[in-house]
Amino acid sequence: MEEISPLAVARRQLDMAAEKLNLDPNIHAILREPARVMEVNFPVRMDDGSVRVFKGYRAQHNNAIGPAKGGIRFHPQVTLEEVKALSMWMTFKCGVLGLPYGGGKGGVVVDPRTLSKGELERLSRAYISAISPIIGPEQDIPAPDVNTNPQIMAWMMDEFSKVKGGVTYPGVVTGKPIIVGGSLGRSEATGRGCVIIIREAAKRLGIDLTKATAVIQGLGNVGGATARFLAREGVKIIAILEIDGGIYNENGIDPEDLLAYREKTGTITTYPGCRPISNEDFFALECDILVPAALENQITPANAPGIKAKILAEAANGPTTPEADEILAEKGVFLTPDILTNAGGVTVSYFEWVQNIMHYYWTVDEVNARLEQMMVEAFACIYRMSQEYKVGMRMAAYMYSISRLAEAIKVRGWA
Ligand code: GLU
């Protein structure tokens, strides 16, 4: 089967929504490309004294509504095309939640597991210094993404502040540790938001979460938090798939215990009481909720026909190809799209940035209550739109977000 790139997927999704909206072709053309991309190649001193040159990117898709916003990933498979696609999805995601941002995304081609802590710090600093001319609290605000975390954000904020002459700029990145201007609730916000969306979807479909089962692909920051919040809602998690293998237990897996086990052993595959499950069997499991929380292009025409879940909640960015979307729609799977489902992260990033600007910090209850309210409202708005226009949730989310963007682009006089 032909490999379809994330950028091709993002453009297809945009094109389909543009057609439905009868979008002005000039606005459509603006949205098909990121406004700005930067490629950087920067040296890092390794522990053995040698120097390695790493490649990184930053894409800023659009700033019609506000500065670019979006994470930075460290992954060996990062490409310019991927970063461009991810920056497009960020624009549409911010639009769905009504955040005053456009989309951005960055990446470095590296397997961070091969680096020592010192090498990781030097790489993080060198990358942010290289892209420093185009980022800043009013211009483009990075955040964590795949394989990056609060410590890395702290190094990046520190380095940017040094490059800019020693004034501390807490608002240049979000997802920082609390002590240097991070927001309470940010690290688990994406998972918390995913579960709010799953809960809202379950209500509409008449699914009782305390009797529901879920399977989760990926146990990183997002997958791990989603698993924990789902379990708190009473959902039984029966399978988890990770890069090094999958595990299944029909009686349910306790995510807290599993995460503690992985912390100790470095893997989930040997977790007691479970049997191994292949990638293929995982996607075909009988369950209520399927949560892809790993990388792009995981649900394709190869595995979509076998999916039995009632709700597919996209915690990852771009996990489903457009062909798979069609298959799932025919099967009646209720898909909650990435640009809505995983928007809890960037929403609390927005709260963090606001707190940095105000120098006034909120309690965790305030953060969670505002997140809850915004996610519930966004779900209701997209659901209403999907009913009204008789389209799926992804199409409705794109239509809503692009309409707002089109209005901003028009009034600013770009098209
Ligand atoms: N990387 C996350 C995402 O894809 C969060 C971005 C942010 O907080 O700016 O939504």
Side-chain angles (χ1 to χ4, degrees), residues 69-71 90 93 105 143-145 186 317 345-346 349:
K69 183 87 194 79
M90 282 310 302
K93 190 186 300 184
K105 192 69 109 193
D145 196 83
R186 172 62 186 87
N317 291 312
V346 70
S349 274

Side-chain angles (χ1 to χ4, degrees), residues 95-263:
V96 170
L97 268 291
L99 308 178
Y101 292 134
K105 192 69 109 193
V108 177
V109 188
V110 61
D111 181 352
R113 288 171 311 177
T114 63
L115 303 179
S116 70
K117 191 167 181 206
E119 289 167 343
L120 184 65
E121 174 173 355
R122 293 194 290 280
L123 176 124
S124 304
R125 288 183 181 277
Y127 167 72
I128 217 70
S129 164
I131 65 163
S132 64
I134 65 163
I135 64 167
E138 302 299 335
Q139 197 175 2
D140 179 3
I141 305 118
D145 196 83
V146 174
N147 292 333
T148 53
N149 58 32
Q151 173 61 78
I152 293 174
M153 295 306 115
W155 290 325
M156 289 180 168
M157 182 275 271
D158 183 72
E159 190 64 24
F160 181 84
S161 299
K162 281 183 181 148
V163 169
K164 298 291 171 185
V167 177
T168 295
Y169 287 92
V172 66
V173 293
T174 58
K176 299 177 294 294
I178 308 300
I179 191 71
V180 288
S183 176
L184 293 168
R186 172 62 186 87
S187 54
E188 64 276 16
T190 313
R192 183 182 288 277
C194 285
V195 175
I196 295 171
I197 296 301
I198 292 169
R199 198 191 61 208
E200 294 304 299
K203 263 191 227 161
R204 300 320 193 273
L205 301 177
I207 296 172
D208 177 355
L209 285 186
T210 64
K211 298 195 178 74
T213 54
V215 302
I216 301 177
Q217 181 203 25
L219 208 60
N221 174 46
V222 178
T226 302
R228 292 208 321 266
F229 289 116
L230 274 178
R232 279 187 219 168
E233 294 283 336
V235 175
K236 189 157 76 174
I237 296 160
I238 56 170
I240 294 185
L241 190 65
E242 259 288 2
I243 334 175
D244 55 344
I247 54 172
Y248 172 79
N249 183 344
E250 62 181 353
N251 299 317
I253 300 165
D254 173 0
E256 301 285 357
D257 194 57
L258 176 66
L259 286 163
Y261 178 84
R262 192 192 43 195
E263 188 68 34

Side-chain angles (χ1 to χ4, degrees), residues 277-299:
I277 187 160
S278 69
N279 193 305
E280 211 182 335
D281 292 347
F282 171 86
F283 284 101
L285 277 174
E286 202 71 64
C287 64
D288 297 298
I289 305 157
L290 164 62
V291 184
L295 294 173
E296 302 92 59
N297 285 351
Q298 299 300 302
I299 298 168

Side-chain angles (χ1 to χ4, degrees), residues 36-57:
R36 171 147 76 171
V37 294
M38 188 173 192
E39 176 181 323
V40 291
N41 295 285
F42 54 91
V44 177
R45 177 81 59 192
M46 308 307 281
D47 288 347
D48 65 4
S50 66
V51 169
R52 261 177 76 189
V53 178
F54 290 89
K55 192 179 281 300
Y57 305 100

